[in-house]
Amino acid sequence: MSKLSYMFQRRKNKKSGETTEKEIFDKEGIPKDYDHKLEINLKSLHELFYQTSDYQNIDIKIGSRNGCVCYLGTTLNKNELNSQVLEPLRDAFKEAKEDDKDIDKIREAYFPAVAYEYAETLHQIVWQILNGFAVILVDEQIKALGLNIGGMEKRSIDEPSTQTIIRGPKDGFVEDIDTNIGLVRRRIKNPRLVFENFHVGSDSHTKLVIGYMKGIVNEDILDEVKQRVKKIKTSGVLDTGNIEEFIADDNFTFFPLIFNTERPDSISGNLLEGKIAIFLDGTPFVLIVPSVFTDFFQSAEDYYQPFFMTSFIRIIRYIAFMIALTFPSLYVAITTYHHELLPTPLLISVQGQREGVPFPAVIEILIMELTFEVLREAGVRMPRAVGQTLSIVGALVIGQAAVEAGLVSNVLVIVVSFSAIASFVSPIYNFSIAARLIRFILIFMAASLGLYGILISLIIMVIHLVSLRTFGVPYLTPVAPFKLKDQKDVFIRFPIWSDRNRPSYLVTDAPVKEEGASPPSPPDSSSRGENTK
């Protein structure tokens, strides 16, 4: 029994996660049986798709037998349909022999190089049509032939827009799930890399894929992920953010419990560590589970730059998080209750700037914080060319005007601006949201109880973080509980050759990455002498 068994009850169902067409379409009331009579099958399809404008069927003949090609025009490439399907079928009308009654022979003769799937039930035919196949039905045949000729146009692979780096790969995920899986396959050429299919959403039937490294991943955690995905009950999902709310251990927290990224290299690195990736068709963001608190301070570029520089930048991220969290509330507490903490010259300067300001410090800072939040949101929602200008010019103009009007002090503008900039240091956007929200709580506590209120709030926050779990793993691990062997990639990064083990909190089946990893070193003097001789 795994060491994680005390955290959650292990599921005994080891059944594959593949979702069948029967499970999906039984709920829709779609007939299952496939009839050998072509007209009966076409009638069933027409009753199902009769109001669908993009459903099309083209009558064909193979020898003397009638047939039909059924497809949705909006889900496949029509040029490929003509060249790969319709033109060979014209030859089939002329060349087919009367004794070629097996659809297998038709496929071998006219579609030898086209990806295909057979459909032996009406459920499978409908599923293939919805997934962009051109389905060939032939009279007196016991099965249909679905040809995968390529889908509609999709966005090309481009640099990620939310997690940019200076050094490292520049490709990012797109909205097509097969392309995304291919980007990971390009990096991990290993047959143990497994992808299992699911479908979520009773109406949308959206494809979801769970990826993991077999022989490395913890089977208990993998079973837990599969069970949570199977329990998702909703009409439709449009992004992995919807999935995140269904499978997270606790939704009543400001902190994200599941890591998301649109970087294939980040997903590949986490898979090799023994974590699990969740892909969803239609979105470029992929989830990684389980994710702990320290994961949100790490960037893919940390492993492409020298480890001294990476360690320095990572410490800066932790400091920036604390500044974004506490700086405004410290200003309120000190200027309201604890003047003695400031040196006398600085105190005189701060109070002199606040001379004439009509509001107390808490109202003053709330005005500026809300103003910055409005500007930030407006900059995100506006067109890109206008949004950046609005954020910069709006902040400068409003900040300067507020100071000149005597509504706020110069020091306050510096405090709010610096804490806003510090919140952008986080590599993961939704983690910076937690600091922005908790900042307002700390401001109110500082206005009520001063530094004691801030300290009480931080203690409660730490207690809350310690209580969180992510798929049975403590959220603050490897800090609490403290694991010495995992400290090589937390606050600072050791050289890659020295980090030989996978995170111990994952309890992977292969805890050691590489035996005998060692740093490069020049040859000793004796070997150099031998070479010169």
Side-chain angles (χ1 to χ4, degrees), residues 324-358:
L325 196 65
T326 62
F327 203 24
S329 57
L330 288 174
Y331 172 83
V332 172
I334 291 174
T335 56
T336 305
Y337 296 102
H338 308 284
H339 304 100
E340 68 278 3
L341 294 178
L342 292 178
T344 302
L346 180 58
L347 177 62
I348 294 173
S349 175
V350 171
Q351 293 300 330
Q353 292 181 28
R354 296 200 69 251
E355 190 71 25
V357 175

Side-chain angles (χ1 to χ4, degrees), residues 124-137:
Q124 293 175 334
I125 292 176
V126 173
W127 187 245
Q128 289 178 357
I129 292 174
L130 291 174
N131 280 279
F133 283 61
V135 181
I136 300 176
L137 294 84

Side-chain angles (χ1 to χ4, degrees), residues 230-243:
K230 289 178 181 179
K231 290 180 180 178
I232 294 176
K233 303 296 181 184
T234 184
S235 59
V237 290
L238 303 177
D239 186 78
T240 48
N242 305 140
I243 301 296

Side-chain angles (χ1 to χ4, degrees), residues 148-367:
N148 186 3
I149 59 175
M152 56 185 176
E153 293 295 324
K154 54 193 176 187
R155 182 167 66 94
S156 60
I157 298 173
D158 201 357
E159 184 176 358
S161 59
T162 59
Q163 298 171 7
T164 57
I165 62 175
I166 298 173
R167 179 179 180 180
K170 301 295 184 181
D171 55 343
F173 289 131
V174 296
E175 286 73 17
D176 181 67
I177 192 171
D178 294 327
T179 302
N180 295 341
I181 293 174
L183 289 173
V184 177
R185 283 281 188 195
R186 179 190 298 175
R187 289 168 168 81
I188 306 178
K189 299 177 176 65
N190 193 320
R192 292 187 297 161
L193 178 58
V194 178
F195 294 98
E196 291 192 29
N197 291 340
F198 294 78
H199 292 91
V200 291
S202 58
D203 293 329
S204 66
H205 307 309
T206 309
K207 184 178 180 180
L208 181 148
V209 174
I210 293 177
Y212 57 92
M213 290 293 294
K214 192 173 182 180
I216 296 178
V217 69
N218 183 298
E219 293 291 340
D220 287 329
I221 298 178
L222 178 61
D223 290 344
E224 182 72 13
V225 173
K226 291 180 182 180
Q227 291 297 327
R228 294 189 190 186
V229 168
K230 289 178 181 179
K231 290 180 180 178
I232 294 176
K233 303 296 181 184
T234 184
S235 59
V237 290
L238 303 177
D239 186 78
T240 48
N242 305 140
I243 301 296
E244 188 173 345
E245 292 191 24
F246 277 104
I247 67 175
D249 290 60
D250 187 356
N251 285 315
F252 294 97
T253 179
F254 293 136
F255 296 93
L257 299 180
I258 297 177
F259 186 91
N260 70 84
T261 181
E262 53 179 339
R263 298 194 58 84
D265 55 334
S266 180
I267 293 296
S268 301
N270 279 281
L271 287 171
L272 293 173
E273 291 287 329
K275 295 186 178 182
I276 301 164
I278 300 176
F279 299 78
L280 186 72
D281 198 17
T283 176
F285 288 92
V286 179
L287 303 180
I288 279 289
V289 295
S291 302
V292 295
F293 183 80
T294 55
D295 289 341
F296 296 92
F297 292 91
Q298 300 175 4
S299 170
E301 192 175 9
D302 291 353
Y303 304 94
Y304 309 141
Q305 299 285 6
F307 64 91
F308 282 118
M309 189 62 190
T310 294
S311 301
F312 172 72
I313 295 298
R314 193 172 289 182
I315 292 173
I316 291 294
R317 293 190 191 121
Y318 284 99
I319 295 173
F321 172 74
M322 293 307 300
I323 290 174
L325 196 65
T326 62
F327 203 24
S329 57
L330 288 174
Y331 172 83
V332 172
I334 291 174
T335 56
T336 305
Y337 296 102
H338 308 284
H339 304 100
E340 68 278 3
L341 294 178
L342 292 178
T344 302
L346 180 58
L347 177 62
I348 294 173
S349 175
V350 171
Q351 293 300 330
Q353 292 181 28
R354 296 200 69 251
E355 190 71 25
V357 175
F359 305 112
V362 61
I363 301 299
E364 186 184 7
I365 205 164
L366 284 175
I367 291 173

Side-chain angles (χ1 to χ4, degrees), residues 480-518:
F482 184 78
K483 297 182 181 295
L484 181 61
K485 65 174 74 173
D486 293 335
Q487 301 304 312
K488 293 183 178 181
D489 193 20
V490 180
F491 299 105
I492 61 174
R493 181 178 78 79
F494 280 53
I496 293 177
W497 50 262
S498 69
D499 190 12
R500 300 184 178 93
N501 299 318
R502 295 184 171 88
S504 62
Y505 60 81
L506 294 176
V507 198
T508 61
D509 290 343
V512 179
K513 295 180 185 177
E514 188 67 37
E515 293 285 356
S518 61

